[in-house]
Amino acid sequence: MFVTIVENNEISAGYFRLAIHSPELAENTKPGQFIMMKVGDNYDPLLRRPMGIHKISNKDNNPCVELLYQVVGKGTSMMSKMKKGQQVDVLGPFGNGFAIPQNIKIAVFVAGGVGIAPLAMLAEKMVKDATDLKTYLFIGGKSKNDVLCLDDFEKLNTKICIATENGSLGNQGLVTNSVSKFIDQKANGQASFFACGPYQMLKAVSELTAKKNIPCQVSLDRRMACGFGACLGCVVKVTQGNHGSYKNVCTDGPVFDANEICW
Amino acid sequence: MSIEPKKKKINLSVEIAGIQFQNPVLTASGTFGYGMEYTDFIDLNLLGGIVVKGLSIKPSHGNSPPRMVETASGMLNAIGLQNIGVEVFINEKLPLLKKFNANIIVNFFGDTQDEYVLAAERLNDITEIAALEMNISCPNVEKGGMTFGTEPKITEELVRKVRKVTSSPLIVKLSPNVTDIVVMAKAAVNGGADALSIINTLLGMAIDIKTRCPMLANVTGGLSGPAIKPVALRMVWQVAKAVDIPIIGIGGIMNAQDALEFIIAGATAVQVGTANFIDPSISVKIIEGIKNYCQKDKIGDIKDLIGTLRS
């Protein structure tokens, strides 16, 4: 379907927030789901790009969904040049999205770089729907330029812990060091973790939470050709599955229980 | 009394190996799952045929990821023929798929000649299956796969063995990774093929220069998409001149114009592959496009267009 871009702004060097007007997507998208976006109208790039939904919002009374993306290659570079008012071809929403546990008391979000994108929508929904929910955000990046969306979590009264590899904001080092300390000191059976970011970060969070039997959902990012379960190009190795040892990140995920993945 | 000028009805039906297809547009194996993956996007009843994901006698896990990467106007894949196996297909997928008008063609393969024969035997005489498509050309599996499709003697021998155990129409899908596709086509014909699917993917690779690692865990993969269309078209044209059985043209078909090129080159039907990933409703749009072309060019029957390349 063709939808109209209502905003495409650089929010930090190399990171853009793109909003598209779509009542259908705004109505039907759950946190953690994604759309497949055609970039350009010729054969190079050929395939659609999987883009996680970052937020659902209202702009001038138009229901919108927002994407948050980092310019990393040809597709995202072309996306960054898209203009307000331009039509763009999208399919979706696809994927399972996060499962929100009932009566959850403590939610811990762990984000690396642009991995914050789906967690912002998830946190907002969880805080809105729950009573008495305590939220924590552990967010990391190479430098302060890569630490995004803090204001979204401040609004939710989330306790925020920042780590940057060069020390330009928050603790110096990897975000998983802070997560490790938190788990040792504070986390208990009441907490649930939700993580999105680089593979190595997800792997580390998965190991840390597994040690204490803390539930943890991870959102994976994979190259995809279709996004709806036909190409089998995006698979991830799982500990068990119905159709062998791989699952589709597009239709079985992109969100998985961390202990389901063969890291 | 004046008569309203009527839009002439176009006959899009074609026949391959005794099977009637309501139109010449099929979906290619490996790009259309087991069909049901597409029901949210298109009415499967409108398709000429659905060629399901390649099946083996036993289920197969496929290759390690990463399995796909985009290249210029194309994509490389090394899925490794991940599939649910013949038995699960017959019991779980076929009952859902048979409700539609489209002909169901089952693509199958084996790691050994015996496995090809076993799969063909099990798939034989199932009324809902219109035809079998024998994959002797997958570049992404270690054993068998493409080697069965690159040695003409082995091709002929294998097709003959499969021919003996099935009464279903037998389509052989050829590999383009050969010196002379015509030699391979003739070998398949001699073995008893009823039709040929031309072409499977072209063997290729891509490298990440930051890590100096291959982009695919399998190192090499099959190239598909518009990048390969000229090669596929040339091969269809060459084979069409050399053999008397019907050809199904495959390779980078993105729109009706591409499909028509294959038909003019000599294909009786076409399969749409990679384009399904980008627009899951593209096959239906291609059928409409072919109809419009016929209408405009006053072609009453698509069969009149097959192999009409002018010099």
Side-chain angles (χ1 to χ4, degrees):
Chain A
M1 63 182 153
F2 281 90
V3 292
T4 307
I5 294 171
V6 294
E7 185 184 296
N8 189 19
N9 296 328
E10 190 164 22
I11 57 162
S12 182
Y15 292 94
F16 289 75
R17 185 177 281 148
L18 185 148
I20 51 179
H21 174 223
S22 170
E24 199 184 331
L25 286 174
E27 170 87 26
N28 297 321
T29 305
K30 291 190 297 179
Q33 289 191 300
F34 65 96
I35 56 173
M36 292 295 286
M37 181 184 270
K38 184 82 181 93
V39 182
D41 52 8
N42 58 29
Y43 297 157
D44 194 12
L46 179 67
L47 302 170
R48 291 172 184 268
R49 296 293 188 265
M51 304 295 303
I53 304 287
H54 169 47
K55 269 185 198 180
I56 289 172
S57 60
N58 226 300
K59 297 199 182 291
D60 306 327
N61 282 328
N62 290 325
C64 292
V65 294
E66 297 182 22
L67 313 174
L68 177 69
Y69 62 96
Q70 183 181 11
V71 175
V72 289
K74 186 170 190 163
T76 42
S77 172
M78 286 171 73
M79 274 177 73
S80 71
K81 294 179 183 79
M82 289 176 172
K83 295 273 183 288
K84 183 178 174 174
Q86 196 178 325
Q87 295 269 300
V88 62
D89 180 8
V90 299
L91 293 175
F94 293 135
N96 56 357
F98 289 97
I100 300 177
Q102 296 217 315
N103 305 320
I104 180 171
K105 293 287 172 233
I106 302 170
V108 183
F109 305 100
V110 185
V114 77
I116 192 68
L119 299 178
M121 179 173 165
L122 175 67
E124 192 183 337
K125 178 164 173 56
M126 286 176 76
V127 169
K128 198 176 127 206
D129 291 354
T131 50
D132 193 21
L133 174 71
K134 227 178 184 173
T135 54
Y136 293 85
L137 171 67
F138 290 86
I139 183 166
K142 285 201 165 62
S143 76
K144 66 177 178 188
N145 177 57
D146 307 298
V147 177
L148 312 167
C149 304
L150 294 178
D151 51 339
D152 292 322
F153 285 84
E154 280 159 4
K155 266 188 269 176
L156 304 174
N157 291 320
T158 301
K159 203 162 180 327
I160 299 173
C161 175
I162 303 166
T164 52
E165 286 174 43
N166 67 0
S168 55
L169 191 65
N171 303 325
Q172 182 167 12
L174 295 175
V175 69
T176 44
N177 296 339
S178 314
V179 173
S180 176
K181 272 183 213 154
F182 176 79
I183 287 179
D184 284 342
Q185 290 162 11
K186 287 201 179 160
N188 54 39
Q190 287 183 306
S192 257
F193 275 62
F194 306 88
C196 184
Y199 185 83
Q200 289 304 330
M201 184 204 89
L202 296 179
K203 183 180 174 182
V205 174
S206 166
E207 283 163 2
L208 291 167
T209 50
K211 265 190 229 159
K212 287 217 168 180
N213 282 323
I214 299 167
C216 176
Q217 295 175 44
V218 294
S219 177
L220 301 182
D221 187 16
R222 278 289 190 285
R223 292 198 295 259
M224 293 176 185
C226 68
F228 48 85
C231 75
L232 309 181
C234 66
V235 296
V236 61
K237 193 158 201 169
V238 291
T239 47
Q240 54 188 17
N242 299 329
H243 301 301
S245 56
Y246 295 108
K247 280 195 171 183
N248 291 342
V249 171
C250 62
T251 49
D252 299 316
V255 180
F256 293 89
D257 274 331
N259 56 19
E260 200 182 354
I261 307 294
C262 278
W263 300 98
Chain B
M1 196 176 78
S2 69
I3 297 166
E4 290 267 315
K6 254 203 218 159
K7 261 199 169 178
K8 213 179 148 193
K9 192 159 165 48
I10 312 283
N11 182 10
L12 286 186
S13 72
V14 294
E15 188 186 308
I16 296 169
I19 327 157
Q20 289 296 322
F21 290 80
Q22 58 183 342
N23 64 63
V25 179
L26 290 64
T27 56
S29 179
T31 68
F32 213 69
Y34 303 106
M36 302 306 288
E37 290 85 344
Y38 280 80
T39 51
D40 282 352
F41 307 106
I42 52 167
D43 179 359
L44 300 182
N45 288 306
L46 301 174
L47 297 172
I50 296 167
V51 189
V52 299
K53 172 84 184 148
L55 294 166
S56 46
I57 193 75
K58 286 185 202 138
S60 171
H61 291 327
N63 289 334
S64 296
R67 291 176 168 186
M68 64 84 39
V69 61
E70 189 180 48
T71 56
S73 299
M75 62 176 278
L76 288 166
N77 89 80
I79 308 303
L81 295 169
Q82 176 183 332
N83 79 95
I84 56 175
V86 168
E87 214 57 48
V88 177
F89 171 78
I90 292 169
N91 295 327
E92 292 178 16
K93 302 291 180 181
L94 194 56
L96 305 172
L97 206 47
K98 71 180 185 192
K99 295 173 188 149
F100 299 95
N101 282 337
N103 285 330
I104 301 162
I105 297 174
V106 173
N107 182 292
F108 73 100
F109 71 96
D111 281 344
T112 63
Q113 296 209 3
D114 287 347
E115 283 184 19
Y116 272 95
V117 169
L118 285 171
E121 275 176 341
R122 183 64 187 94
L123 292 162
N124 187 33
D125 266 345
I126 296 173
T127 47
E128 295 88 0
I129 298 175
L132 301 182
E133 183 180 70
M134 187 171 160
N135 178 7
I136 55 166
S137 49
C138 182
N140 299 324
V141 285
E142 256 180 55
K143 293 170 283 179
M146 201 168 72
T147 57
F148 292 128
T150 54
E151 294 284 340
K153 271 187 193 158
I154 299 174
T155 300
E156 186 177 332
E157 179 187 305
L158 181 58
V159 174
R160 186 167 289 128
K161 278 186 186 171
V162 169
R163 174 74 289 169
K164 273 187 193 149
V165 298
T166 179
S167 55
S168 299
L170 184 62
I171 304 162
V172 177
K173 186 167 182 179
L174 298 182
S175 169
N177 303 302
V178 293
T179 312
D180 187 350
I181 187 92
V182 173
V183 172
M184 303 313 301
K186 284 181 175 167
V189 172
N190 291 340
D194 296 309
L196 300 170
S197 287
I198 300 173
I199 58 176
N200 206 319
T201 55
L202 283 149
L203 196 57
M205 71 184 284
I207 295 170
D208 180 344
I209 59 164
K210 276 185 209 149
T211 61
R212 300 193 201 174
C213 290
M215 297 290 274
L216 299 172
N218 192 55
V219 185
T220 59
L223 179 64
S224 66
I228 72 165
K229 197 197 83 181
V231 178
L233 193 62
R234 181 264 296 178
M235 288 187 167
V236 165
W237 173 71
Q238 283 179 315
V239 174
K241 288 190 298 180
V243 303
D244 291 329
I245 61 173
I247 294 166
I248 304 169
I250 319 167
I253 295 174
M254 299 297 287
N255 50 44
Q257 181 185 317
D258 294 338
L260 288 160
E261 285 186 53
F262 277 90
I263 292 169
I264 293 166
T268 301
V270 296
Q271 290 178 18
V272 178
T274 300
N276 292 311
F277 297 150
I278 299 140
D279 179 355
S281 63
I282 192 68
S283 42
V284 172
K285 291 175 188 163
I286 290 174
I287 296 165
E288 277 310 301
I290 293 174
K291 207 183 282 175
N292 291 341
Y293 171 86
C294 291
Q295 201 86 53
K296 223 173 131 206
D297 270 35
K298 301 192 167 51
I299 297 161
D301 191 327
I302 191 72
K303 290 185 277 296
D304 295 340
L305 192 68
I306 299 168
T308 55
L309 184 71
R310 294 170 182 155
S311 54

